[in-house]
Amino acid sequence: MIPRVFDTDQHVTPPPDMWTSRMARKYADVAPQVIELEDGGEAWSFEGGTYVHLFGMENLGGKDPAEYGYRARYDELMPAFYQPKPRLDAMDIDGIEAALLFPSVAGHMTVIQDDDLYVECVQAYNDGICDWASDGDPKRMYPTALIPMVGLETAMAELARVAKKGFRHFQALLSPKGVGYPTQEHDPFWALAQETGLVVSLHGGGASRAKHPTITTHEKKAEIARPRPIASEIAIASVRAGGLGSPLSLGIFILSGIMERFPRLKFGMNETSADWIPSFLERLDAVYTQHRWLGEQQLRMLPSEYFHRQVKTSIDREMLGVKHRHQIGVDKIMFGTDFPHSGNFYPHTRRYIDLLFHSVPDDEVHKILWQNAADLYGAN
Amino acid sequence: MNAAVDRDVTFVMDAAQFIVEPPDLWSSRVSAKHRELAPKVVSLPGKGDAWAFEGGAWLRPLGLEAVAGQGPLEIQDQGLGYADIRRGAYEPKERLRDMAVDEVDMASIFPSFGMSVRNIQDPDLHLACVQAYNDGLWEWCQSGDARRLVPQALIPATGVTVAIAELDRVAKKGYKGMVFLGYPGQGMDPQAEEDPFWARCEEAGMVVNLVRGGPVGPDRTPMVPRRWVGESAGNVRIVDTPLEVMWAQAASINNVILSGFILTGILDRFPRMQLALIDAGAGWLPNCGELLDWNFRYSRYIKFAKLKHMPSDYIRRQVKATVKGERSTIENRHDVGVGALMWASHFPNSTTSWPTSPLVIEGQFHDVPEDERRFMLGENCAGLYRVMPVTSRR
């Protein structure tokens, strides 16, 4: 059997005119745009050069690891990284039928300091990525909406707008205000999310607006020639190795009571890996049960039960998640490639899948590679 | 005669117990010039006892560190006095009695309030408090039973020379393990200048313990809830983290320091050095290993140190971790490594299995063959810290 594959972790490198072609003329200087660097490479400039982002490491599908680096130029990239039709071709080559499209460069809009500009940029991105998927094939491409984090009303307005546009999921956020943790004040936002049926996608954890220095990939313009400090590389490797952001965000979404108060709200975890989940849930249950009367409100179920009711997680590149699939739950695991980020398998994903699932029964393979994601994200 | 005496008893060494520091631990040991600012116990009117740091700039009330034996309806995170808590929390002979009740033979002893010495900014005071702690804990264990209570030293994170000097001092006393309070050079990540420190750790056989995965980042400013900021002005950051977030943090996975030790090559350059993750979970280690391998495989050309092996090899060779009640981790013990797991009770803090550890162990290990059980319940821990197993109940 050749399995159908739903890739729950692809990224889109934005076309160079993603923002400039959509935002009003008055934003011409401050809209995210591509600039030339002295070394002949290109970079994304935010807010008029306040932040400059080198995008080489996000565009490595099929490249020799010895040639990996931060330097990039659009005319040297595979068109599939940033153009919809070539992306479909790449998906065909790699045996991918449908894919979620997460941001890459666009995820860094959270560093824009001016609130109005930030909201305009987020809206332009949502319009742009929606058009991008429509130009490709909206039945096979499921772009991620981003929600601006400047306040409850703005967040709800954009959520309603993207729902109407046909988005099926949005990037998780810890607070519509951009800083702090979930409180019951935010309930109208989650109520709307539940009502619209959009899935909350925790790609590596919940987003927040506050600049997080240990995982930032931005460098001040004057310093872009300097490689990133090793500390931030270690932090990135740690997050990609299942630490920090994902478990913490999952724990916060459960214990804050959002899943209890909105039982039909669904969560997907993308590029988070899965094998840490069982022991994490046991620890979460134990901490919660012992301390619950110290808090102001109690949950009606164990923390792990909310996970099993409302969350699906995914594997990108791990044998152990497949080996322990019955512990995690065969209905709980989805699959992703992380194309075109560093370390993906393109164009050999089929071969990798064969190895990963060589001793797994067909019905379980089908659930993990297709059905669980198709059910969650509403593919036919 | 108790029937248990005749039973074939498995040696149990608890890999994570905590001392609730006796009230005079610092005040009776630091020199006169530091006495005012060294940690001391203060009574809060109607609110029990609290430890006051840096002359009362910030407080940590006696609470969840010391509530062993209390159920979820009783435990308090403040409002307790030393008179209200189990004496086994702070008196060594009483500790041994509490261990006997729980059928625990030996224990590795970590700090409760001593962890906050990390946040003392003045380097002289910082070092004085570290040394007083190390002297005090050593004497505490000696006056209990030196064979059964195994202390873990603090090492200051205020400079490489100071760290090496204190490491040599505690190694000479007989300490077998240290608590990592930050990279000794005070940076975000390991520095080459710190290699002499790691070399000394390896040479002295000093285990590097990462409590809850180890503190991340060089910022040592204390983070204190508003209500525990003292009246005297001090350099503190006020944080009001919701309880739910703190619980999620407690269960979460902190693999940053571990990744740093691997990817910058410390474990490669010092192959006999041992790391122990204390109360950080263990079930995630194999997953972390395979994903670090993945990251390393494609990033090694531009980012990380040259390594002779893959990251997961260093985890298998040089990392141990405590496990408490996580059944899934025991089920997956052959992936984590039977030789890497060390059972822990966390006595006397709020998450401890005391006084029901024998039942918890039975529930968790009931289908585990006896030879594997022995490793995880005690022999791995005794071997790691190079102490002689003493079975108190035979």
Side-chain angles (χ1 to χ4, degrees):
Chain A
M1 187 184 86
I2 297 177
R4 301 173 76 181
V5 179
F6 195 127
D7 184 350
T8 63
D9 184 24
Q10 289 204 1
H11 295 263
V12 172
T13 300
D17 65 350
M18 185 70 139
W19 286 274
T20 47
S21 67
R22 285 178 177 83
M23 292 174 66
R25 179 175 288 273
K26 65 173 175 172
Y27 296 117
D29 294 337
V30 287
Q33 54 202 275
V34 176
I35 57 169
E36 285 270 341
L37 301 177
E38 281 176 15
D39 68 355
E42 290 172 340
W44 275 92
S45 165
F46 289 85
E47 211 168 7
T50 312
Y51 288 97
V52 172
H53 173 66
L54 305 176
F55 59 107
M57 291 300 282
E58 295 155 18
N59 291 283
L60 296 163
K63 207 167 176 177
D64 175 354
E67 290 170 15
Y68 281 11
Y70 300 102
R71 187 185 179 282
R73 284 189 60 85
Y74 270 86
D75 56 17
E76 292 170 5
L77 296 185
M78 261 176 69
F81 296 173
Y82 63 98
Q83 289 175 7
K85 289 291 184 201
R87 173 66 61 100
L88 285 174
D89 294 340
M91 286 165 64
D92 288 340
I93 288 168
D94 220 17
I96 310 285
E97 187 170 329
L100 303 183
L101 303 177
F102 284 92
S104 52
V105 171
H108 303 303
M109 287 189 294
T110 49
V111 301
I112 297 171
Q113 300 296 307
D114 182 276
D115 282 356
D116 294 338
L117 174 64
Y118 164 66
V119 175
E120 290 283 339
C121 289
V122 170
Q123 290 174 342
Y125 176 78
N126 287 337
D127 291 341
I129 196 68
C130 187
D131 294 345
W132 199 91
S134 300
D135 292 346
D137 182 346
K139 290 195 207 61
R140 296 178 62 188
M141 294 172 153
Y142 296 77
T144 316
L146 300 179
I147 303 298
M149 295 176 276
V150 298
L152 190 60
E153 281 178 24
T154 313
M156 289 176 68
E158 187 63 6
L159 179 60
R161 196 178 78 90
V162 295
K164 210 168 162 190
K165 281 177 87 76
F167 280 91
R168 307 308 313 264
H169 67 129
F170 65 91
Q171 169 69 40
L173 53 161
L174 288 175
S175 159
K177 293 176 178 167
V179 290
Y181 297 107
T183 73
Q184 297 203 22
E185 274 175 60
H186 309 154
D187 276 1
F189 177 83
W190 300 112
L192 180 63
Q194 176 172 267
E195 190 189 316
T196 59
L198 262 66
V199 177
V200 188
S201 286
L202 280 121
H203 187 284
S208 59
R209 181 106 184 276
K211 187 167 168 262
H212 194 319
T214 56
I215 60 166
T216 183
T217 57
H218 312 287
E219 300 288 340
K220 287 224 168 86
K221 193 172 186 177
E223 299 168 357
I224 48 178
R226 199 186 60 183
R228 277 189 286 195
I230 188 73
S232 66
E233 298 297 356
I234 292 168
I236 290 168
S238 316
V239 169
R240 295 186 80 176
L244 298 178
S246 320
L248 186 58
S249 299
L250 174 62
I252 290 172
F253 275 111
I254 293 174
L255 297 185
S256 65
I258 290 176
M259 293 191 197
E260 167 158 310
R261 297 195 293 280
F262 304 102
R264 287 175 292 114
L265 191 60
K266 298 291 185 203
F267 292 78
M269 299 181 67
N270 316 86
E271 201 188 350
T272 52
S273 75
D275 195 46
W276 53 269
I277 298 260
S279 62
F280 169 74
L281 290 177
E282 286 190 84
R283 281 165 64 82
L284 197 64
D285 283 353
V287 173
Y288 175 73
T289 357
Q290 178 65 359
H291 299 101
R292 66 191 187 280
W293 299 107
L294 292 172
E296 284 171 14
Q297 45 176 347
Q298 279 75 47
L299 302 174
R300 278 191 287 267
M301 307 193 298
L302 281 174
S304 58
E305 294 177 285
Y306 295 96
F307 173 84
H308 291 296
R309 183 173 77 184
Q310 286 168 264
V311 188
K312 289 186 209 263
T313 184
S314 57
I315 53 170
D316 270 42
R317 45 183 78 98
E318 324 129 66
M319 299 293 188
L320 288 166
V322 175
K323 181 175 176 187
H324 299 144
R325 64 192 179 281
H326 294 291
Q327 220 175 37
I328 301 158
V330 176
D331 297 327
K332 297 274 123 198
I333 306 171
M334 308 182 290
F335 174 78
T337 67
D338 206 18
F339 181 88
H341 284 182
S342 53
N344 76 80
F345 279 101
Y346 179 86
H348 304 301
T349 300
R350 279 280 182 210
R351 215 154 72 194
Y352 171 63
I353 284 173
D354 287 345
L355 290 171
L356 199 58
F357 293 94
H358 71 94
S359 60
V360 180
D362 282 354
D363 59 327
E364 296 185 8
V365 175
H366 178 66
K367 280 182 177 174
I368 293 171
L369 289 180
W370 177 264
Q371 199 61 53
N372 294 336
D375 289 347
L376 181 61
Y377 290 98
N380 296 319
Chain B
M1 254 307 172
N2 191 324
V5 174
D6 297 317
R7 214 167 63 196
D8 182 20
V9 176
T10 302
F11 165 68
V12 176
M13 180 165 176
D14 187 343
Q17 287 197 6
F18 300 87
I19 179 178
V20 175
E21 292 76 357
D24 66 348
L25 184 124
W26 283 281
S27 59
S28 67
R29 286 181 182 85
V30 295
S31 64
K33 70 169 177 170
H34 290 310
R35 209 155 290 150
E36 187 56 33
L37 295 178
K40 56 171 164 281
V41 174
V42 293
S43 287
L44 306 170
K47 286 184 185 164
D49 291 339
W51 278 92
F53 291 85
E54 297 189 292
W58 44 289
L59 307 172
R60 272 186 66 187
L62 197 61
L64 297 176
E65 295 81 1
V67 294
Q70 298 187 357
L73 284 168
E74 304 160 287
I75 62 169
Q76 290 170 257
D77 58 2
Q78 56 180 358
L80 294 171
Y82 268 83
D84 306 321
I85 64 174
R86 291 198 69 75
R87 282 166 59 204
Y90 56 92
E91 284 185 10
K93 290 288 184 199
E94 287 294 321
R95 173 67 60 105
L96 292 168
R97 256 174 239 148
D98 285 344
M99 285 163 59
V101 168
D102 218 19
E103 298 180 25
V104 168
D105 299 303
M106 291 172 64
S108 174
I109 309 290
F110 288 93
S112 300
F113 296 90
M115 284 303 277
S116 295
V117 168
R118 164 179 150 86
N119 302 111
I120 295 174
Q121 301 286 327
D122 176 72
D124 282 349
L125 179 64
H126 184 105
L127 179 61
C129 291
V130 163
Q131 291 181 330
Y133 177 86
N134 291 338
D135 293 344
L137 178 63
W138 183 260
E139 289 163 25
W140 194 87
C141 292
Q142 293 282 321
S143 67
D145 182 339
R147 297 169 313 152
R148 296 175 56 199
L149 301 174
V150 179
Q152 306 293 337
L154 297 179
I155 294 294
T158 56
V160 179
T161 317
V162 179
I164 291 177
E166 186 60 10
L167 181 75
D168 284 341
R169 198 181 76 87
V170 297
K172 206 168 159 194
K173 263 184 179 303
Y175 273 98
K176 304 294 173 58
M178 59 159 269
V179 175
F180 176 87
L181 294 181
Y183 292 113
Q186 310 185 67
M188 272 293 284
D189 51 69
Q191 309 295 329
E193 306 87 84
E194 292 164 341
D195 271 5
F197 177 80
W198 306 122
R200 284 294 296 130
C201 278
E202 181 180 60
E203 197 182 316
M206 190 71 69
V207 176
V208 179
N209 295 294
L210 306 176
V211 177
R212 302 221 163 96
V216 176
D219 184 359
R220 293 189 281 114
T221 311
M223 300 204 281
V224 188
R226 194 176 304 275
R227 62 187 191 283
W228 299 119
V229 176
E231 284 171 16
S232 62
N235 180 24
V236 302
R237 181 173 307 139
I238 295 171
V239 286
D240 285 312
T241 311
L243 281 175
E244 293 78 16
V245 173
M246 290 167 61
W247 299 337
Q249 286 168 340
S252 204
I253 295 165
N254 176 4
N255 57 10
V256 179
I257 303 293
L258 171 66
S259 304
F261 270 90
I262 295 170
L263 296 174
T264 62
I266 297 177
L267 298 187
D268 181 90
R269 296 193 295 282
F270 305 103
R272 287 176 293 116
M273 197 176 118
Q274 294 290 317
L275 293 184
L277 291 157
I278 307 298
D279 187 18
W284 52 269
L285 272 173
N287 190 205
C288 180
E290 68 175 337
L291 291 169
L292 284 180
D293 286 357
W294 184 264
N295 275 273
F296 179 72
R297 205 166 253 131
Y298 66 76
S299 292
R300 64 191 144 159
Y301 298 99
I302 51 169
K303 292 176 182 174
F304 304 125
K306 296 243 179 301
L307 302 179
K308 288 189 280 293
H309 307 284
M310 292 304 284
S312 63
D313 296 326
Y314 299 97
I315 294 181
R316 275 188 288 272
R317 186 173 77 181
Q318 286 164 272
V319 179
K320 291 192 173 17
T322 63
V323 62
K324 200 168 46 176
E326 303 95 273
R327 171 71 187 159
S328 59
T329 305
I330 301 306
E331 284 173 5
N332 298 348
R333 64 190 178 278
H334 294 289
D335 294 307
V336 186
V338 171
L341 290 167
M342 307 187 290
W343 177 84
S345 82
H346 293 199
F347 183 85
N349 79 28
S350 58
T351 64
T352 185
S353 48
W354 188 91
T356 58
S357 297
L359 292 173
V360 172
I361 288 172
E362 194 46 38
Q364 200 179 0
F365 292 86
H366 64 92
D367 56 355
V368 177
E370 181 60 21
D371 57 335
E372 295 185 351
R373 201 194 253 242
R374 300 179 83 90
F375 282 121
M376 294 185 277
L377 289 179
E379 287 172 13
N380 288 341
C381 188
L384 176 66
Y385 298 110
R386 298 178 297 127
V387 290
M388 186 67 79
V390 177
T391 307
S392 55
R393 292 162 286 145
R394 219 157 248 150

